[in-house]
Amino acid sequence: MKKSAAIRMAGAAGAIALGLMSLAGCSGSTGSSESGKATVTFWGWAPGYADAVKAFNASHSDVTVKYQEVQPGSKGGYQKMLNAVTANNAPCLAQVGYETLPSFAAQGALDDVSQYANDDKEDFQPAAWSSVSIGDAVYGAPVDTGPMGLFYNKQLFDSLGLTAPTTWDEYKADAEKIHASDPKKFISSPYLDYDYAGFAWQTGAKWFDVDGDAWKVTMASDPNKKVADYWQGLVSEGLISSAPMYDQAWYTGLGDGSIATVVGAVWQAGVIKGGAADGSGKWAVAPMPQWSAGDDQVGNAGGSATAVLKGCSTPKAAWEFAHWLSTDKDTYNTLVQKAGLYPAATALTDLPALTEGDPYFGGQKIFDVFAKAAPKVNQDWTWGPVMTKTAADLDDGLGKAWAGQGTIADALKTAQEKTVAELKKQGLTVSE
């Protein structure tokens, strides 16, 4: 059985339970035919999207896009989209994170546009294309991606005679030297949910897969335990700061040098710059450390698609806009500047906004690091169909583990057990 068929079967029971499988006839656009001018409605929240829609409408006569800003997905946007699908009045297009797209697919809330999209497959990074595809089905256009790298306080590293670590063993050795130099200094801070997932992603430690006609959950697998035990070792040796990511204490640590690195996605550059002004000129970016010298695998954290919701009556027009949004150079350059997006399209890595030196990072052209990293993102990753709950359960365990209560491996095991229980509760088939 092909994976696309498998995932539809795995999600069928949950979709029926939500009343979504009967929506094939609903209309997500006001255009009733692909032969004439189509009007496509698009829901999203990223800064710059409204301007992008204006630019598209000014340069296209066959399709008109109506943009409606909604709350970010985790703050109500996703539920609004699902409610609209249920009510038969969903827009054609919606901004959906890669981690959420499989849950929409499992609930029957997306339309397969592969017949229009497949000709454009080569326009995108392979891992990004995989993020909008399930088997033969394609549910939207990749917009941005989150290849990971090593953000590090170069001033601190230089003061200790250290260079950016190229392997995780070197990273641990540097952690020990940094902490030995000052007990108030740490290599990094706790990572949760999707930030932590990037470490598993890099090493091929899957969390989900489709087995025949069932979902397979593998968060507690041996490869995942390898990653968990590594970070657990740093915790046990007191080498990880207690400051939670995105907390004010974290920003303070980045600014004053007490937190030496952030292993994260390209968009972390904007986060660090915006919250830790005191670190300006001290930081730099290097490739993500590897498990073995000479390896060349990169994890990913974040990214979203312009997804086609169930019942769109003008899917060809919807794809025309979705593809344009992801590939138009002028428009995407603005999205880089306004929203901090990093392109999933392979031809956009030389945009002006991505080729300039950054004073915060000592004038380094930091996006050169990510341009090399993006094609190396491990393609063999699948998000699960109940990621909101999976992430919440995982964070509960991870938060305790980073604080010395339990272990990261136990957090993964518990999250797996609770995810399996939730899948069964929703009527989804699970491969034990």
Side-chain angles (χ1 to χ4, degrees):
M1 178 180 292
K2 291 183 178 180
K3 194 173 182 181
S4 59
I7 201 166
R8 284 195 294 272
M9 291 182 67
I16 292 171
L18 290 173
L20 297 176
M21 292 302 287
S22 61
L23 302 179
C26 72
S27 175
S29 69
T30 57
S32 59
S33 171
E34 294 282 61
S35 60
K37 182 171 181 176
T39 300
V40 176
T41 302
F42 172 37
W43 287 1
W45 59 85
Y49 272 13
D51 291 335
V53 168
K54 290 180 182 178
F56 178 86
N57 289 335
S59 59
H60 290 73
S61 59
D62 57 333
V63 179
T64 297
V65 178
K66 293 184 177 180
Y67 179 67
Q68 179 180 342
E69 184 172 336
V70 297
Q71 289 294 313
S74 61
K75 296 182 179 180
Y78 291 147
Q79 192 57 54
K80 180 181 177 71
M81 295 169 193
L82 292 173
N83 290 344
V85 172
T86 303
N88 292 4
N89 60 6
C92 256
L93 295 170
Q95 180 181 351
V96 178
Y98 295 145
E99 78 289 339
T100 302
L101 191 140
S103 68
F104 270 49
Q107 295 178 63
L110 300 176
D111 268 344
D112 175 11
V113 291
S114 56
Q115 63 176 311
Y116 310 108
N118 281 340
D119 286 346
D120 298 318
K121 177 180 179 179
E122 300 305 318
D123 291 346
F124 300 96
Q125 298 288 355
W129 190 259
S130 295
S131 295
V132 299
S133 308
I134 301 175
D136 296 332
V138 180
Y139 293 113
V143 178
D144 61 312
T145 187
M148 297 175 71
L150 174 70
F151 297 87
Y152 69 106
N153 189 317
K154 189 175 186 298
Q155 184 182 84
L156 173 62
F157 271 65
D158 288 348
S159 72
L160 297 175
L162 303 176
T163 57
T166 60
T167 67
W168 288 115
D169 284 343
E170 291 177 2
Y171 185 84
K172 183 176 186 296
D174 289 347
E176 294 168 346
K177 293 173 183 176
I178 289 169
H179 195 58
S181 74
D182 185 338
K184 294 182 180 180
K185 292 182 178 179
F186 305 88
I187 189 70
S188 195
S189 56
Y191 296 88
L192 299 178
D193 49 69
Y194 305 117
D195 292 304
Y196 178 85
F199 301 130
W201 190 321
Q202 178 197 28
T203 198
K206 295 182 181 182
W207 283 5
F208 295 91
D209 207 343
V210 173
D211 180 15
D213 62 350
W215 281 100
K216 189 172 184 179
V217 188
T218 57
M219 299 175 72
S221 66
D222 287 342
N224 273 293
K225 190 173 186 304
K226 171 186 174 181
V227 179
D229 288 350
Y230 173 83
W231 288 99
Q232 190 65 49
L234 297 183
V235 173
S236 299
E237 292 187 34
L239 304 177
I240 298 296
S241 167
S242 62
M245 285 185 79
Y246 314 120
D247 185 88
Q248 184 54 52
W250 183 68
Y251 290 115
T252 299
L254 299 181
D256 66 18
S258 58
I259 298 176
T261 74
V262 178
V263 188
V266 55
W267 48 264
Q268 288 285 8
V271 175
I272 295 170
K273 289 165 57 177
D278 289 345
S280 182
K282 303 174 183 178
W283 284 72
V285 182
M288 189 176 187
Q290 300 293 312
W291 286 102
S292 298
D295 285 354
D296 209 11
Q297 288 290 322
V298 177
N300 186 86
S304 64
T306 307
V308 182
L309 296 185
K310 190 68 177 178
C312 177
S313 64
T314 53
K316 183 178 180 181
W319 177 257
E320 180 180 346
F321 169 74
H323 178 263
W324 177 90
L325 178 67
S326 295
T327 58
D328 183 78
K329 286 181 177 287
D330 290 339
T331 295
Y332 210 100
N333 194 65
T334 301
L335 291 178
V336 173
Q337 296 169 328
K338 290 192 173 183
L341 302 186
Y342 189 80
T346 56
L348 299 186
T349 57
D350 61 349
L351 293 174
L354 297 177
T355 55
E356 301 168 348
D358 192 321
Y360 188 96
F361 295 96
Q364 181 185 2
K365 296 181 179 180
I366 65 169
F367 292 110
D368 289 352
V369 175
F370 297 104
K372 294 177 181 178
K376 301 171 185 175
V377 172
N378 193 325
Q379 299 178 45
D380 198 14
W381 181 268
T382 300
W383 291 111
V386 290
M387 280 311 303
T388 298
K389 178 166 177 55
T390 298
D393 290 332
L394 178 61
D395 282 355
D396 182 59
L398 285 178
K400 295 174 182 175
W402 290 114
Q405 304 168 19
T407 67
I408 296 173
D410 286 341
L412 289 163
K413 183 175 181 292
T414 299
Q416 174 172 314
E417 292 170 349
K418 291 185 175 181
T419 295
V420 168
E422 180 64 21
L423 293 177
K424 291 180 177 178
K425 180 181 177 181
Q426 293 195 14
L428 303 180
T429 306
V430 180
S431 174
E432 298 289 354

